[in-house]
Amino acid sequence: MKNILILIVLFLGVTSVAQEAPEMAKYDAKNAANIFYYNYFEVPEKIKVKDDVLKAKVFKSLRSYNDKIKNISFLNFQKLQDLEVTVNSLGKQLYTNADLRNKIRVQIETTILPIRDSIGKIEKVLNSDFEEILSRRQYKKWIKYQKAQKRKLLPETPKTNSARAPSNINRRGLGGGRRF
């Protein structure tokens, strides 16, 4: 009886200490390529545009941006969907097989980076348009809003069932203090 109890305690101890591999987050190729659209009606509210003429210019710039992004999305839809299916279907195999992981990484880079670069050029045009027509305060609010929208595209960190060890950053003196 004691031996069985000891075996059970040891088994529970070993399984609670063993780390589980984090679940693979669902890969979204559109988010990775920064493909998203701005809401025409939300942006003027967020950046506090009151003047109707200025609102019309903001609408026009946003409409132009969204049309160009729709065009890029349409032209690259099949590539993005194939990449998404490939990454999501392989899932946990990417953790164990380094060759496969490198092959998928190269495929992602050759597909996503050119799309992201072309979207970046369109964003620069949009930002330069807004810099010309908006006040300094409104432009700062626009940049802040734009960063928040891009932050929403980032994938959430995967949750694991095991408890994480506490960070020792503050104990070593690396994390505390003022930042300049």
Side-chain angles (χ1 to χ4, degrees):
M1 184 70 174
K2 287 183 182 179
N3 291 338
I4 294 173
L5 184 60
I6 291 172
L7 286 174
I8 291 173
V9 170
L10 286 175
F11 179 72
L12 290 175
V14 169
T15 57
S16 66
V17 174
Q19 290 184 350
E20 297 177 16
E23 283 189 29
M24 183 77 171
K26 185 179 176 193
Y27 183 75
D28 190 358
K30 278 189 166 185
N31 287 352
N34 286 343
I35 295 177
F36 68 99
Y37 308 104
Y38 290 109
N39 186 345
Y40 301 127
F41 303 106
E42 184 179 288
V43 171
E45 260 181 44
K46 294 288 185 178
I47 61 176
K48 308 272 192 243
V49 174
K50 306 275 190 226
D51 186 29
D52 289 336
V53 175
L54 193 57
K55 275 185 186 180
K57 290 180 181 179
V58 169
F59 282 143
K60 182 179 177 187
S61 295
L62 288 174
R63 183 172 291 126
S64 171
Y65 172 84
N66 283 351
D67 288 344
K68 291 175 184 175
I69 297 300
K70 282 180 187 176
N71 191 21
I72 289 173
S73 177
F74 176 73
L75 293 174
N76 295 299
F77 175 77
Q78 193 61 45
K79 284 193 253 181
L80 292 173
Q81 190 171 12
D82 291 343
L83 181 66
E84 195 171 301
V85 167
T86 303
V87 172
N88 287 332
S89 65
L90 293 175
K92 292 187 179 185
Q93 292 177 7
L94 296 175
Y95 286 122
T96 57
N97 191 342
D99 292 334
L100 183 61
R101 183 173 48 237
N102 290 335
K103 187 177 179 181
I104 295 298
R105 181 178 296 137
V106 168
Q107 184 180 0
I108 288 172
E109 288 174 356
T110 57
T111 305
I112 298 292
L113 291 181
I115 298 170
R116 195 182 294 169
D117 290 342
S118 62
I119 289 174
K121 290 175 185 174
I122 295 170
E123 273 184 3
K124 282 183 182 179
V125 170
L126 178 67
N127 287 342
S128 66
D129 287 349
F130 278 175
E131 192 171 17
E132 290 174 7
I133 63 175
L134 297 175
S135 69
R136 177 183 276 168
R137 178 178 284 165
Q138 290 170 336
Y139 184 69
K140 281 185 178 180
K141 288 181 182 183
W142 161 250
I143 295 297
K144 188 176 178 180
Y145 174 78
Q146 188 179 40
K147 286 180 182 177
Q149 293 299 314
K150 286 183 181 180
R151 220 176 290 125
K152 288 179 185 177
L153 298 177
L154 296 175
E156 293 180 10
T157 56
K159 306 281 189 227
T160 58
N161 293 337
S162 62
R164 294 185 179 212
S167 175
N168 291 333
I169 291 175
N170 289 334
R171 290 187 210 143
R172 286 187 257 146
L174 298 175
R178 293 171 61 182
R179 295 189 182 164
F180 298 103

